[in-house]
Amino acid sequence: FNQRYYITASVRVDGSSRFGDGNKYATFPAVSGAWRISEEPFMKDVDIIDNLKIRAGWGKVGNQAIANSAYQSLVGANNTVIGGIRVPGTTMTSIGNPDLKWETVEDYNIGVDLSFFNRRLNVTADVFFTRNKDLLMSHSLPTSSGYSTTTENIGDLDNRGFELQIKAT
């Protein structure tokens, strides 16, 4: 609005056949906004600053990077010999996890953009925090189970930091 106030919002619902019936769909909202302070009337007499904008955002996205059938136990062909005769049969080839759900990445960001001296010096600074929830990972099983791994939602992972970019022309 008026080259000063910005807002963006979105909501998406993603579906994936890689999850069981109760977990096929997940909702991922996002919102961000900015205030270009340099366009305010009280900044018109400040000649040294060409652009001053404060930004903030929050949002979620999903991850479905697992095998197509990880939520299902699978059966495959397995021949055996009984009394010297080869007999066709089946056996479980993998253990599924019907409780698998979307891994969610939630991101928070606050930043500032500054330009000075007819845009010859530009500074961008951002502080961010990212949390990965319900990580989709392969989990080792005891070999006595007859299977080596299964897929599970295991743990959370946090990432935070500060980014600074200075550009002079």
Side-chain angles (χ1 to χ4, degrees):
F1 175 75
N2 215 15
Q3 299 296 314
R4 291 185 283 194
Y5 311 107
Y6 303 84
I7 188 161
T8 302
S10 67
V11 176
R12 61 183 287 160
V13 177
D14 290 346
S16 175
S17 60
R18 295 180 183 211
F19 301 106
D21 288 338
N23 296 316
K24 282 190 188 302
Y25 299 96
T27 303
F28 303 108
V31 64
S32 64
W35 176 28
R36 181 164 280 150
I37 300 169
S38 56
E39 294 298 316
E40 293 291 346
F42 62 83
M43 291 291 293
K44 292 300 177 193
D45 294 333
V46 182
D47 294 331
I48 193 169
I49 297 175
D50 301 313
N51 181 47
L52 170 57
K53 180 167 65 173
I54 298 173
R55 301 174 278 102
W58 167 85
K60 289 183 178 185
V61 295
N63 177 17
Q64 59 158 352
I66 58 174
N68 286 334
S69 55
Y71 77 95
Q72 296 175 314
S73 294
L74 300 178
V75 176
N78 184 28
N79 297 326
T80 189
V81 177
I82 300 176
I85 300 172
R86 187 172 153 187
V87 178
T90 58
T91 187
M92 282 187 53
T93 57
S94 67
I95 295 178
N97 181 350
D99 297 325
L100 285 177
K101 59 185 176 182
W102 287 83
E103 177 180 325
T104 303
V105 180
E106 186 171 12
D107 187 54
Y108 301 85
N109 178 292
I110 297 173
V112 63
D113 299 324
L114 280 162
S115 296
F116 303 96
F117 311 117
N118 293 321
R119 299 190 185 270
R120 289 187 172 184
L121 178 62
N122 300 289
V123 178
T124 300
D126 286 286
V127 176
F128 64 89
F129 175 76
T130 302
R131 170 165 283 158
N132 295 56
K133 297 178 185 176
D134 299 318
L135 294 168
L136 289 166
M137 298 182 67
S138 180
H139 181 253
S140 297
L141 295 174
T143 53
S144 60
S145 71
Y147 307 95
S148 58
T149 62
T150 187
T151 304
E152 295 184 9
N153 291 101
I154 302 174
D156 298 337
L157 176 68
D158 291 346
N159 184 15
R160 64 191 79 196
F162 175 76
E163 295 177 352
L164 178 64
Q165 178 183 9
I166 301 172
K167 180 180 173 185
T169 56

